[in-house]
Amino acid sequence: MAPRPPTASTTGRRRLFGTDGVRGVANIDLDVPLVLDLARAAGELIGGGAVVVGRDTRRSGDMLAAGLQAGFHSVGVDTLDAGIIPVGGVSFLIPEVGARLGVMVSASHNPAPDNGVKFFDATGAKLDDEREAEIEGRLREGEPWKAPTGAGVGVAQAIPDATDRYVAAISEDAGGSLEGLRLALDCANGAASTAAPELFASLGADVVSHFDSPDGLNINEACGATTPRYLAEVAGGRLGLSFDGDADRLMVVDEDGRVANGDVILAVIARHLKECGELPGNRVVTTVMSNLGFRKAMHEAGIQLTETRVGDRYVMEAMLAEGAVLGGEQSGHVIQLDRARTGDGLRTALRLLDVMTATGRTLADLRHEALVEFPQVLENVRVRSKDLEGADRVWEAVRAAERELGDEGRVLVRASGTEPVVRVMVEAPTMAVATHVAQRLTEVVADQLA
């Protein structure tokens, strides 16, 4: 019997890869036949070797990880199961164990019913668009899969100490003890639930942990990096570190109870690295979402900015092209190429804490010096169509808003790469103005696309 071709449900689907892998509702958009075929396609392209597989705490993670492993085994690729681990752990383990590829089963900050698949190359970096297109192209060919037999079939092996190895590696980068720091952690009931408390406590910090009891359904539920306000309420004067489901994002609550997003984190770290002569080219890479205040602050500090479209993979590509070691997104993804090959919330938190201990200053003090943020409003408009190219009335409204704000504000309207929404972002001198302009724009977007 000839090897079976990709399933009809797979070959007939719309484009699979978005800005952060393949994502959708588990068992509906992202089902076992799809992940089986994704693994077969990726496995055939690497032609052998081993793949590290990790996941976050979602109930569907076991099912989808098992489907991926079966797919890899069926085309002769071994799998190394890292279990529940932050996405930075998968990235770290790939070169550590000599794997050819890595896969993280996670929908990051999305709710529990969603899940996703993120692929990483042999260096631990996310696959670029070209290699994702190769996987999708092979999947859609409809040709029978490679079907080895006997000793040619891949096998699974667990990495029982995966999280311990990952935490130990991060600890080696610490600038010193964290003794004296009082931390409150929000682990999002996700992949950081074990690793984050273990890391910071091992370095001497006084740690209180919240949302560290995952049950498969409570990941990101009223917690995590997308809703850090709860942590601000319970931190009790401690510095708050808030991660998302797979712990690639970090949001921080400073000692005054104010949320510090990726712009603040980047600004504080960038200024410190520049002062220490450790910021090559005095350059930072960011995205179009970065706050106008961040842009002005970097200019005043003599730090050059390279801007990319939204997505940490595009930040990484620009960093490699520009020779930069620091880049990231307002959403809390921060990449430090002198320490890792992908965004890693735990590593970001440690770097920020190192700046605090090295300078002897609080984050509240450091952020006040680093930048003054413009009031910003971000609205997500759920739409039937994300086709903004032909949305003439939307762009007319955008141009009118830009004329109104002039140099003292900014407007950005873009389609989400992971959800059926259009994001409307407005920055202005006051929150009232930003809110008014954003409301006007969201009404136009909803009227034309919803």
Side-chain angles (χ1 to χ4, degrees):
M1 180 180 292
R4 288 191 304 166
T7 64
S9 63
T10 295
T11 55
R13 292 176 187 257
R14 58 177 172 74
R15 184 175 183 272
L16 296 174
F17 285 92
T19 56
D20 200 15
V22 181
R23 193 175 296 187
V25 178
N27 227 20
I28 297 179
D29 306 311
L30 191 69
D31 56 16
V32 172
L34 174 55
V35 298
L36 193 75
D37 284 352
L38 279 169
R40 284 167 165 163
E44 282 196 356
L45 289 171
I46 62 173
V51 176
V52 174
V53 179
R55 60 186 176 87
D56 67 20
T57 57
R58 293 163 210 270
R59 187 182 182 93
S60 60
D62 278 336
M63 173 186 72
L64 296 176
L68 285 163
Q69 289 178 299
F72 283 120
H73 298 164
S74 73
V75 293
V77 177
D78 297 336
T79 57
L80 303 172
D81 189 353
I84 294 173
I85 191 170
V87 69
V90 171
S91 175
F92 157 75
L93 285 167
I94 297 166
E96 176 78 3
V97 301
R100 300 283 301 280
L101 201 69
V103 184
M104 180 70 179
V105 180
S106 174
S108 192
H109 62 283
N110 284 25
D114 293 349
N115 218 324
V117 177
K118 305 179 185 182
F119 287 94
F120 298 82
D121 67 20
T123 72
K126 287 183 179 178
L127 292 191
D128 58 24
D129 288 343
E130 183 178 351
R131 291 196 64 188
E132 286 185 343
E134 288 177 358
I135 293 174
E136 190 161 341
R138 172 61 186 97
L139 185 148
R140 294 186 185 279
E141 282 176 3
E143 295 297 319
W145 299 113
K146 171 185 175 183
T149 59
V153 175
V155 296
Q157 180 179 340
I159 310 176
D161 61 344
T163 295
D164 291 340
R165 291 167 70 170
Y166 165 61
V167 168
I170 298 178
S171 299
E172 292 176 1
D173 289 330
S177 171
L178 300 182
E179 191 170 348
L181 287 179
R182 300 171 66 245
L183 306 179
L185 309 183
D186 177 349
C187 300
N189 290 316
S193 294
T194 296
E198 180 182 327
L199 171 65
F200 300 111
S202 72
L203 292 171
D206 176 359
V207 175
V208 173
S209 188
H210 302 271
F211 298 109
D212 59 353
S213 301
D215 63 10
L217 300 175
N218 60 0
I219 186 171
N220 298 318
E221 187 177 81
C223 59
T226 56
T227 53
R229 283 294 174 189
Y230 175 81
L231 187 61
E233 294 172 3
V234 301
R238 292 172 179 265
L239 185 76
L241 305 177
S242 186
F243 305 96
D244 66 343
D246 63 354
D248 62 352
R249 294 188 187 198
L250 172 72
M251 290 287 184
V252 184
V253 177
D254 71 20
E255 298 83 357
D256 294 335
R258 297 176 60 205
V259 175
N261 62 20
D263 284 343
V264 175
I265 295 167
L266 276 173
V268 170
I269 294 175
R271 285 171 59 95
H272 181 72
L273 292 181
K274 181 176 183 290
E275 290 170 4
C276 295
E278 298 175 1
L279 190 67
N282 290 330
R283 181 173 297 278
V284 170
V285 178
T286 189
T287 76
V288 293
M289 291 296 292
S290 64
N291 191 275
L292 184 58
F294 174 80
R295 297 157 189 260
K296 291 187 174 184
M298 292 298 94
H299 176 73
E300 292 169 1
I303 296 173
Q304 303 296 314
L305 281 184
T306 297
E307 185 179 286
T308 76
R309 55 178 163 159
V310 173
D312 57 337
R313 78 171 65 192
Y314 306 117
V315 172
M316 166 69 91
E317 290 173 3
M319 291 173 69
L320 293 173
E322 299 281 354
V325 300
L326 183 66
E329 300 185 274
Q330 186 186 69
S331 61
H333 288 122
V334 174
I335 301 174
Q336 307 169 75
L337 281 184
D338 57 342
R339 295 189 174 182
R341 299 288 292 181
T342 194
D344 184 332
L346 276 67
R347 290 185 186 272
T348 302
L350 181 57
R351 192 93 184 226
L352 187 65
L353 297 176
D354 281 345
V355 174
M356 292 171 58
T357 56
T359 59
R361 302 171 68 184
T362 66
L363 177 59
D365 186 26
L366 288 167
R367 76 180 292 171
H368 177 73
E369 181 180 284
L371 82 164
V372 176
E373 297 171 273
F374 274 54
Q376 182 185 86
V377 173
L378 177 61
E379 298 287 350
N380 293 325
V381 185
R382 189 162 287 273
V383 295
R384 287 181 293 101
S385 168
K386 296 194 290 185
D387 182 16
L388 282 167
E389 189 171 340
D392 295 339
R393 285 189 288 119
V394 171
W395 296 119
E396 288 174 9
V398 168
R399 288 190 289 272
E402 289 175 335
R403 288 193 297 270
E404 177 183 340
L405 294 171
D407 293 335
E408 293 303 309
R410 194 165 68 96
V411 174
L412 180 66
V413 175
R414 70 176 187 88
S416 168
T418 58
E419 300 174 84
V421 301
V422 167
R423 307 196 195 281
V424 176
M425 188 274 287
V426 178
E427 293 168 352
T430 69
M431 182 58 75
V433 172
T435 300
H436 175 71
V437 173
Q439 181 178 357
R440 201 167 66 219
L441 290 172
T442 57
E443 289 173 356
V444 176
V445 171
D447 184 58
Q448 186 161 14
L449 299 176

